[in-house]
Every structure is written in structure tokens, then in C-alpha cells.
Amino acid sequence: HLHNYSPNKELVFLSDASDAHWAGCLAQCSKEDADKPLQEQEILPMMFFSGTFQAQTLKVSVVYPVVGR
């Protein structure tokens, strides 16, 4: 089930994409879990979203930054 926002938790954004589709999840985890590997975190999902790339967006180049702590 989906969880409500809690100011006492860390926000987590998870995403994935293929050549044709994309998806994302906005979630939270406890501050204690935030420094653990993703597989060990208790992720509490708040929102899911997904879509299909349109023809005009397939022509756009995108740079994917690596974000870490």
C-alpha cells in the first residue's frame, strides 16, 4: 500500500527506463536506513508513475548524472 509523507524520514527516488518506456517511484525510508545499501532499506512507497516515450522525445539526448552521498 502507499504511505503518507513523513518529515522524519528521508525521501528516496527510484527510476528505470528502457528504449520505449520509463517508470519511477517516490518513496521514503528511515534516517537509519538511508546509509544502508538499497536492498537492505525498508522502502515505503508514496507514489508510482510510468509512461511511454513519445516519438519526439526519443530524439532528445539525455545526460544521466550519478548522485550519491
Side-chain angles (χ1 to χ4, degrees):
H1 68 276
L2 297 178
H3 295 264
N4 292 319
Y5 171 75
S6 170
N8 300 322
K9 297 191 182 304
E10 295 285 328
L11 286 172
V12 179
F13 179 75
L14 307 166
S15 64
D16 192 21
S18 69
D19 290 341
H21 307 282
W22 56 269
C25 173
L26 181 60
Q28 289 189 292
C29 70
S30 70
K31 293 182 187 238
E32 296 78 28
D33 277 1
D35 291 326
K36 294 180 183 177
L38 183 62
Q39 304 90 310
E40 296 176 19
Q41 295 178 10
E42 181 183 358
I43 301 293
L44 307 172
M46 298 187 309
M47 176 189 302
F48 293 99
F49 40 93
S50 63
T52 300
F53 292 115
Q54 302 299 315
Q56 64 271 24
T57 60
L58 293 173
K59 300 175 186 175
V60 176
S61 296
V62 178
V63 176
Y64 297 97
V66 177
V67 179
R69 292 184 179 268

